[in-house]
Amino acid sequence: MTGEHIHTIAPMPTKKTVRRRTSVPMQAYRFAVVSLRMLKMIRRTHMT
Amino acid sequence: MARVVILGAGISGHTAALHLRRLLKKQHEVVVVSPSPDYNWIPSNIWVGVGRMKTGQVKFPLAPVYRKKKIDFRQAKAVAIWPEGAGDNHTGAVDIEYTLPGREGERQRLSYDFLVNATGPKLNFAATPGLGPDAGFSLSVCTPAHAEQTAARLVEVIKKLESGERQRLVVGVGHGACTCEGAAFEYAFNVEHELRVRGLRDRAEVVYLTNEYELGDFGVGGMSFEQDGYVTSSQLWTESLFKERGVRAILRAHVQRVEPGKVFYETLDGEEDALSFDFAMLLPPFRGQELEAFDRAGGDITSELFAASGFMKVDADYTPKGYDEWQAADWPRTYVSPKYPNVFAIGIAFAPPHPISRPHSTSSGTVISPAPPRTGMPSAIMGRQVARSIADMVNKGKGAPTHTASMAEMGAGCVASAGAGIMHGTAASMTMYPIVPDHGKFPDYGRNIKQTTGEIGLAGHWMKHLLHHMFIYKAKARPGWSFIPE
């Protein structure tokens, strides 16, 4: 297909990484981290 | 008594209306003019498009909310602005045409003290022959009705796959100058996820067709962030996801036309090709709504108020410049019209001074690069800040806007779904600061790489689901709504 991009150098995630992405305990922790990160961004943006 | 008229009840207009009603005393009027009777939380339309949500979960009627908040709601579309007034009347006015059943086509002139243009985009399917679900051969998720239609078509594709047929699904953008690549990305990966959980993935080919120069551009020129001791890019990160999930990608493409079962496109190097499909969801390019403007004598001043794209000119620097001369300071801060200090434009309705991604075009002049996104969080923040400025102008007699919301000074949080499911869903959670790169402040990457982040996981899906409920609660103006940030 014209214009098709083949992702030759893109890294494949390991099985462990893929598992971690849907592991409930790990993701509960990441949810807290991402929430804090978002709140920080919101706080900074709402200070204007 | 002052009257503030807001054109549009999408994310920016509705946010502005609720804050204005909260900030202005009761004797002042807040009027909302919107052709649709409903509010639509557009970020969740992708889930309607894969059948995970019903349209009723992403929209609700505006009239009861506005009745409760004492906001005057006119179900109508704006057709003309008279910023200087008309004839002997020196008060600005806007002509509206009702879409309310029983009053369709009825015109009315509404005077205003302040006008906020939050009309959003015109979905410009006509820019590409054969594009779109109404007069063309491709599908869309831009409105709840479009998304519902797309979901029904996806069910047919799934049935064919279950019967053993092979199917090709093309998802992306239907023109070289489109924006909202993030939504196309989300829909592509949600479709891929739905096929995978049904065990049908091996019979389906999923192709992502985009005008982005590189994957991960998303119309913001891509992002750089720190990860495991390295500075990595959204390009590498996005390509990895495409590789992992087996989604093919056609980049740097402009769709020339769509015919039944076939999309014709050209790429930046000037080559042309056609791709057959069994299912195609291609987003349209945007342009401004069809609004005219007149001076007091009835002379046409549309080109003074609006850019050629139909979006309204505001306090940005529209001087044509080369990519390397673009500055963060070019971007608007107060969203006030340079000519009329009581007219504002927010959300998609304001004319951006230039793209964020590096522009590209073919040797024959076809532009193939994303237009800048200005939806979601930045739109809502513009709505709130303009409401605060107008409230200060009304309540305190301030002569100029007092609050700012430059996209070059604000950050954004973005959660891009890559598949729905409370236990098996995933989404890319991203933050970036600022949205428009500022190479003066951040010479290396244009953004603060500590505050520009991205990660993929189930947590992102939970976050997107939470945001869906939180923002619909807020839009319904339920108790405590104003404490929920934009």
Side-chain angles (χ1 to χ4, degrees):
Chain A
M1 289 185 287
T2 300
E4 184 172 3
H5 183 73
I6 309 296
H7 327 294
T8 46
I9 60 159
M12 278 290 280
T14 59
K15 281 184 182 169
K16 188 179 166 192
T17 299
V18 173
R19 260 201 317 274
R20 278 162 57 104
R21 285 182 186 163
T22 49
S23 149
V24 172
M26 172 57 69
Q27 290 300 312
Y29 166 69
R30 295 312 303 170
F31 182 80
V33 172
V34 171
S35 300
L36 282 171
R37 209 184 270 157
M38 292 271 181
L39 282 171
K40 199 173 161 189
M41 181 62 64
I42 287 164
R43 190 168 174 271
R44 177 165 192 164
T45 294
H46 282 63
M47 297 291 273
T48 52
Chain B
M1 188 203 85
R3 176 190 273 173
V4 185
V5 175
I6 298 156
L7 308 178
I11 291 176
S12 63
H14 186 62
T15 303
L18 292 181
H19 279 293
L20 275 163
R21 189 63 287 169
R22 177 177 70 83
L23 296 165
L24 291 176
K25 290 186 181 129
K26 286 211 169 69
Q27 71 262 31
H28 303 300
E29 267 186 88
V30 178
V31 183
V32 173
V33 176
S34 175
S36 169
D38 299 317
Y39 179 84
N40 174 209
W41 178 246
I42 294 171
S44 296
N45 284 0
I46 51 144
W47 285 338
V48 176
V50 291
R52 288 271 177 172
M53 279 190 178
K54 299 288 178 199
T55 56
Q57 290 172 276
V58 299
K59 66 176 190 175
F60 62 83
L62 285 164
V65 176
Y66 287 151
R67 205 177 303 124
K68 181 176 74 177
K69 301 309 289 183
K70 297 190 169 42
I71 292 170
D72 182 352
F73 177 48
R74 314 283 177 107
Q75 194 190 318
K77 61 176 181 181
V79 291
I81 302 173
W82 299 77
E84 300 165 4
D88 295 333
N89 190 339
H90 289 210
T91 306
V94 57
D95 291 343
I96 64 171
E97 186 179 300
Y98 280 89
T99 55
L100 182 72
R103 292 183 74 179
E104 295 104 327
E106 183 187 323
R107 286 204 175 200
Q108 195 175 41
R109 183 162 294 169
L110 276 179
S111 62
Y112 63 77
D113 297 289
F114 292 91
L115 180 73
V116 181
N117 176 11
T119 43
K122 177 184 175 187
L123 304 175
N124 194 15
F125 290 107
T128 304
L131 184 70
D134 298 327
F137 311 102
S138 60
L139 300 156
S140 151
V141 290
C142 291
T143 69
H146 284 174
E148 190 173 42
Q149 186 184 358
T150 301
R153 184 74 192 93
L154 184 62
V155 168
E156 290 171 23
V157 167
I158 288 170
K159 279 184 188 156
K160 285 185 181 170
L161 288 165
E162 284 169 342
S163 71
E165 283 186 51
R166 293 192 67 80
Q167 297 279 286
R168 178 184 280 164
L169 299 92
V170 179
V171 177
V173 297
H175 192 277
C178 278
T179 184
C180 280
E181 289 74 15
F185 165 91
E186 286 190 279
Y187 191 68
F189 280 91
N190 269 270
V191 164
E192 194 277 338
H193 177 81
E194 293 302 323
L195 300 178
R196 195 156 31 87
V197 295
R198 287 172 172 79
L200 302 168
R201 186 63 183 87
D202 56 339
R203 281 175 229 158
E205 183 186 1
V206 181
V207 182
Y208 180 67
L209 180 64
T210 182
N211 57 349
E212 292 158 283
Y213 193 81
E214 300 290 1
L215 288 175
D217 182 284
F218 296 126
V220 293
M223 289 167 277
S224 298
F225 38 76
E226 280 185 351
Q227 204 164 40
D228 301 327
Y230 289 87
V231 176
T232 186
S233 68
S234 55
Q235 179 192 346
L236 202 67
W237 191 65
T238 310
E239 283 183 4
S240 173
L241 188 65
F242 273 74
K243 193 173 182 178
E244 177 200 341
R245 304 270 285 262
V247 176
R248 301 175 76 174
I250 296 173
L251 303 184
R252 306 164 195 172
H254 162 70
V255 174
Q256 298 168 310
R257 67 183 193 280
V258 185
E259 291 183 1
K262 202 169 245 189
V263 56
F264 295 80
Y265 65 96
E266 68 174 309
T267 52
L268 207 50
D269 54 15
E271 286 194 45
E272 296 184 358
D273 205 348
L275 185 65
S276 61
F277 64 79
D278 301 291
F279 173 101
M281 196 298 289
L282 298 170
L283 297 176
F286 293 166
R287 62 169 287 113
Q289 296 286 359
E290 285 160 357
L291 260 172
E292 294 178 298
F294 300 98
D295 63 17
R296 204 177 300 135
D300 192 328
I301 54 166
T302 307
S303 62
E304 289 178 39
L305 242 74
F306 296 93
S309 57
F311 299 119
M312 189 179 262
K313 293 178 199 168
V314 291
D315 61 324
D317 182 352
Y318 294 108
T319 313
K321 302 176 193 175
Y323 177 80
D324 294 320
E325 294 168 81
W326 291 352
Q327 291 184 353
D330 297 339
W331 285 75
R333 302 186 83 233
T334 65
Y335 301 91
V336 70
S337 161
K339 199 163 178 199
Y340 301 102
N342 60 342
V343 176
F344 296 80
I346 53 175
I348 293 175
F350 87 84
H354 46 68
I356 301 173
S357 302
R358 183 183 283 273
H360 296 278
S361 53
T362 63
S363 55
S364 60
T366 306
V367 173
I368 306 183
S369 48
R374 44 209 190 277
T375 52
M377 184 175 167
S379 272
I381 290 170
M382 287 173 213
R384 186 200 57 182
Q385 295 297 73
V386 163
R388 289 167 81 186
S389 284
I390 293 173
D392 282 350
M393 291 162 101
V394 172
N395 295 336
K396 299 177 185 169
K398 299 283 184 188
T402 47
H403 290 81
T404 63
S406 167
M407 284 173 62
E409 293 167 7
M410 73 165 91
C414 174
V415 185
S417 173
I422 208 73
M423 297 304 282
H424 300 287
T426 51
S429 310
M430 296 174 268
T431 59
M432 69 177 99
Y433 181 85
I435 301 169
V436 175
D438 185 341
H439 290 280
K441 258 190 206 167
F442 309 105
D444 292 336
Y445 302 101
R447 296 193 179 97
N448 182 331
I449 56 164
K450 290 200 184 300
Q451 291 179 340
T452 301
T453 61
E455 68 174 77
I456 298 171
L458 179 59
H461 174 74
W462 295 339
M463 179 69 67
K464 188 165 169 95
H465 215 79
L466 175 73
L467 293 176
H468 166 92
H469 291 291
M470 203 168 80
F471 286 128
I472 285 182
Y473 181 94
K474 180 182 169 85
K476 286 182 175 173
R478 294 248 165 96
W481 69 268
S482 63
F483 294 106
I484 298 173
E486 277 69 38

